[in-house]
Amino acid sequence: MAHQWRGVVEEYRERLPVADGDPVVTLGEGGTPLVAAPALSARTGADVHLKVEGANPTGSFKDRGMTVAMSKVAATPTELVVCASTGNTSASAAAYAVRAGLRCAVVLPAGKIAAGKLAQAIVHGATLVAVDGNFDDCLRIVRELADRYPAALVNSVNPYRLQGQKTAAFEVVDALGDAPDIHVLPVGNAGNISAYWLGYNEYAGRTTAASLPGTGADLPPVATRTPRMWGVQADGAAPLVKGVAVEHPETVATAIRIGNPASWDLAEAARTDSGGRIDAVTDAQILAAQALLAAEVGVFVEPASAASVAGLLQAAELGRVPAGAQVVCTVTGNGLKDTATALGQADVEPAVIAPTLGAAVAALGL
């Protein structure tokens, strides 16, 4: 009988800081596909796979961290969770709050959220507060809110979020049999690259400063190595590349439009300790990678997700991808989150024909 996926807490409980008495708030997240990408392999000379995180319940990788964070909140008397968001966190927090029976408040930058993500937060009943500012302003507000009022913060500054997100690295190793040579991720608030590095280190029998007590340190190693971690930022929101916070970040990739990442130090440590790199790509490169993934790989992602692929393609053009290297690119969110950007100026109204076979044959040029 095939194994039925149980969500990341039950699949990796021995490696997560979830006590036996904690309620498990889950929507069956994790277990996402690792998809071979021959079109990318041909372009880069490497063996490229995509970790398709848009297959999570709310359509992004955020669900991995949210199940752990929300389970820990549900074990306390707290009745309200809060987050700042560029979209995906709000969708995930709202959905998991419903599952946990908690109230959810989302603080977001006015006019900067893709419609699909905003719709998710709305339909799940979250209270939305729009701020005349950017994501960094929103994060400052919710951190202060959680410090002074009875509300739990579920952004990635909550350490339980990264603990949940590290499970994606476990799944990559489980699928491949070992860690890849290189793992490429989009970088916005920088929690995900930090979480993957944590996961790879734990699976290789190592520990990091980000580890919480009792989370896998005494378990036997599964991987024999760790990958080089490559992060990719959008050129208009690339503080880690430029070495200074970006006051007014701008990019078509709204999910990584962040000028002062909360996990800055952890991301730099992941880059340095792994012998990796963090680069920037233009919006044009991001949109080209998004279109390539849809047309040649069969995977539809939101713009921020395509940053990892754009970064890999750029590295290949510069001769930085070793021939035959095993590479995994995380694509973080489903393309349905932001259809307006993907469609651009495309005409979405097909030609109308008469209801006859002949008309269909003519239209198809058969």
Side-chain angles (χ1 to χ4, degrees), residues 3 23 48 65 87 97 106-107 111 151 158 207 216 218 226 232 261 271 290 310-311 328 356:
H3 171 70
V48 183
V106 175
V107 179
N158 179 325
T207 57
D218 299 326
T226 56
V232 185
R271 175 202 62 196
Q290 181 189 35
V328 173
T356 66

Side-chain angles (χ1 to χ4, degrees), residues 9-328:
V9 171
E10 294 303 337
E11 295 295 330
Y12 296 109
R13 179 181 280 272
E14 72 278 7
R15 294 183 179 273
L16 293 170
V18 179
D20 290 342
D22 290 343
V24 177
V25 181
T26 181
L27 291 169
E29 60 295 312
T32 57
L34 186 66
V35 178
L40 296 179
S41 297
R43 279 174 167 78
T44 61
D47 175 22
V48 183
H49 288 72
L50 303 177
K51 185 59 171 165
V52 184
E53 289 291 89
N56 277 296
T58 74
S60 87
F61 75 96
K62 303 287 187 178
D63 295 345
R64 292 181 180 275
M66 205 59 70
T67 182
V68 180
M70 207 68 72
S71 294
K72 299 304 290 186
V73 174
T76 73
T78 303
E79 297 180 354
L80 173 67
V81 294
V82 297
C83 69
S85 184
T86 54
N88 284 327
T89 296
S90 69
S92 186
Y96 280 79
V98 168
R99 193 71 172 182
L102 302 171
R103 293 187 297 122
C104 178
V106 175
V107 179
L108 47 84
K112 300 291 187 179
I113 307 299
K117 303 172 189 180
L118 193 60
Q120 287 178 279
I122 291 170
V123 298
H124 290 307
T127 300
L128 305 184
V129 179
V131 171
D132 183 14
N134 59 31
F135 171 83
D136 303 303
D137 297 316
C138 297
L139 183 58
R140 173 180 49 79
I141 290 170
V142 294
R143 292 179 88 156
E144 293 175 359
L145 188 66
D147 283 342
R148 302 180 187 183
Y149 295 90
L153 182 61
V154 292
N155 279 99
S156 58
V157 292
N158 179 325
Y160 295 116
R161 279 278 309 278
L162 299 193
Q163 288 289 317
Q165 286 169 213
K166 74 183 181 185
T167 60
F170 298 165
E171 290 178 22
V172 170
V173 174
D174 289 345
L176 295 178
D178 209 335
D181 296 303
I182 299 167
H183 196 120
V184 193
L185 299 103
V187 173
N189 214 25
N192 216 22
I193 190 172
S194 310
Y196 272 82
W197 183 234
L198 172 61
Y200 280 125
N201 272 282
E202 287 192 13
Y203 243 34
R206 307 171 187 175
T207 57
T208 74
S211 296
L212 294 182
T215 54
D218 299 326
L219 293 170
V222 178
T224 66
R225 62 187 184 185
T226 56
R228 281 171 281 170
M229 304 299 296
W230 287 6
V232 185
Q233 298 196 290
D235 190 57
L240 286 165
V241 177
K242 297 173 181 177
V244 62
V246 178
E247 187 174 353
H248 301 293
E250 285 298 336
T251 171
V252 70
T254 57
I256 56 174
R257 188 189 284 155
I258 295 170
N260 189 16
S263 297
W264 187 313
D265 291 343
L266 290 176
E268 287 193 329
R271 175 202 62 196
T272 303
D273 295 347
S274 72
R277 57 187 310 112
I278 299 178
D279 295 314
V281 292
T282 66
D283 279 4
Q285 288 174 291
I286 288 171
L287 293 176
Q290 181 189 35
L292 187 155
L293 286 171
E296 298 188 30
V297 183
V299 176
F300 182 31
V301 302
E302 66 170 313
S305 298
S308 60
V309 174
L312 176 64
L313 294 172
Q314 175 176 268
E317 290 171 2
L318 296 172
R320 293 173 177 166
V321 179
Q326 190 170 63
V327 179
V328 173

